[in-house]
Amino acid sequence: MMAPSASPCIFETAALGYLARTEERGPARWFRRYVDLYPVFLAPATVTEQMRGYALLAEGAVPERLPAIEAARDSYLERLASGAAAVVPTGAAEALVAAQLAVLVPFSPSAPRRKGFFAESRQDRLARWRSQISIAASALAAGMPLVHDSPGDYAPVAALVERFPERFPGVARPRFLWVRKLAAA
Amino acid sequence: MATKKTAPRKLALSVPPDVYGKLERIARARRTEPAGAATALLRRAVGEVEFVSGMGQEHVEAWKRAFAPLTEEEMLLVDGILMSDATRQ
């Protein structure tokens, strides 16, 4: 288990939402200690997904709900503007890693999400998978740990990077951490 | 030779008996004095917390304001997951 002081991390989209809301003692304590030390680093794809989410919510909201959604969105933007969250720069290194991952794992290892009568379409799952690849590539190219909430998706990615190091020159051993297993000493 | 900056500084500590007992056992195992063992342990502990700003809880509260007001269904969208009526797919 990685101590919160060990390294700055990149947080995958769902992992950040989980950490901000969780009451689970281990992850909550880990996150509190982490943000005491480092900014929350985000891949550009995460900011795109989260801001798209706020925008879609605002578009479809009934008038009474709109102020709460806008306030949440503004709080998120304040985190970015204040430097408490930082977007990792992307360049050729990320693009090359993402290209290799897209070839090795063209489709998501996990199935589309489903909840009651609602489901993620295959097309939307593929689009989300490409975002996940982009996030993983950002972490791998930066040599930073990735905190995620999708072990079924990221464990195979880590295994492939370790199995085919010649496809990922200059990339260090992946450090992918499942957010629900985080705990501070 | 140690300069004024690098010379060890003296610190008098009062510790509970159980802590002192453990310190003695650690010192025996490391073949040193309790003060030497305490210095080594302090060095490790201080190294872990030296950058702590004490702002952690405030940052957590600020992150909560960005996500906690949203319902589970709304969070799916902000998590990047687009769901639609499965019976229409």
Side-chain angles (χ1 to χ4, degrees):
Chain A
M1 182 47 57
M2 200 184 86
S5 59
S7 168
C9 299
I10 292 180
F11 292 78
E12 187 236 5
T13 313
L16 179 57
Y18 172 82
L19 283 167
R21 292 159 57 95
T22 187
E23 301 290 332
E24 288 292 322
R25 192 185 156 96
R29 195 165 169 218
W30 187 96
F31 189 54
R32 190 172 65 244
R33 290 193 60 191
Y34 176 89
V35 294
D36 202 10
L37 301 168
Y38 304 114
V40 167
F41 285 93
L42 301 173
T46 289
V47 179
T48 302
E49 284 184 317
Q50 290 173 328
M51 283 307 296
R52 179 190 63 178
Y54 285 118
L56 288 172
L57 287 175
E59 260 184 29
V62 293
E64 312 84 77
R65 185 70 188 136
L66 191 56
I69 290 165
E70 287 180 337
R73 179 203 59 202
D74 291 348
S75 296
Y76 177 81
L77 289 172
E78 180 278 328
R79 298 277 78 200
L80 283 171
S82 70
V87 180
V88 289
T90 54
E94 290 76 21
L96 295 174
V97 171
Q100 290 296 338
L101 293 178
V103 170
L104 289 170
V105 203
F107 300 102
S108 64
S110 67
R113 287 286 292 270
R114 197 174 181 91
K115 194 171 184 184
F117 290 111
F118 292 92
E120 190 179 27
S121 69
R122 280 199 296 270
Q123 188 182 356
D124 284 333
R125 180 66 190 99
L126 181 59
R128 184 161 65 89
W129 173 239
R130 288 183 179 152
S131 285
Q132 288 179 296
I133 283 179
S134 175
I135 294 164
S138 290
L140 289 166
M144 292 169 73
L146 174 68
V147 177
H148 65 83
D149 194 20
S150 310
D153 293 321
Y154 288 105
V157 168
L160 285 167
V161 173
E162 295 203 39
R163 187 172 169 194
F164 300 108
E166 69 281 3
R167 286 177 175 251
F168 302 94
V171 170
R173 193 162 182 252
R175 287 178 291 169
F176 291 175
L177 312 170
W178 186 18
V179 67
R180 291 170 199 252
K181 294 273 185 189
L182 293 175
Chain B
M1 197 173 112
T3 64
K4 199 173 179 181
K5 264 191 177 173
T6 59
R9 303 288 298 271
K10 285 199 174 178
L11 173 69
L13 285 177
S14 298
V15 295
D18 60 319
V19 174
Y20 190 79
K22 279 185 188 172
L23 203 54
E24 275 189 319
R25 286 201 296 278
I26 293 167
R28 267 199 301 277
R30 295 182 182 186
R31 296 171 189 230
T32 183
E33 297 297 314
T39 300
L41 293 170
L42 262 176
R43 184 186 293 278
R44 272 175 52 185
V46 167
E48 272 204 6
V49 299
E50 63 188 346
F51 299 112
V52 171
S53 68
M55 294 282 288
Q57 192 55 41
E58 281 179 43
H59 281 302
V60 170
E61 294 304 323
W63 280 111
K64 276 190 196 300
R65 286 195 289 277
F67 296 110
L70 305 179
T71 65
E72 289 295 323
E73 286 72 26
E74 289 170 342
M75 265 315 288
L76 283 173
L77 267 184
V78 176
D79 282 346
I81 302 165
L82 303 177
M83 305 277 263
S84 53
D85 189 340
T87 59
R88 293 185 179 198
Q89 282 180 20

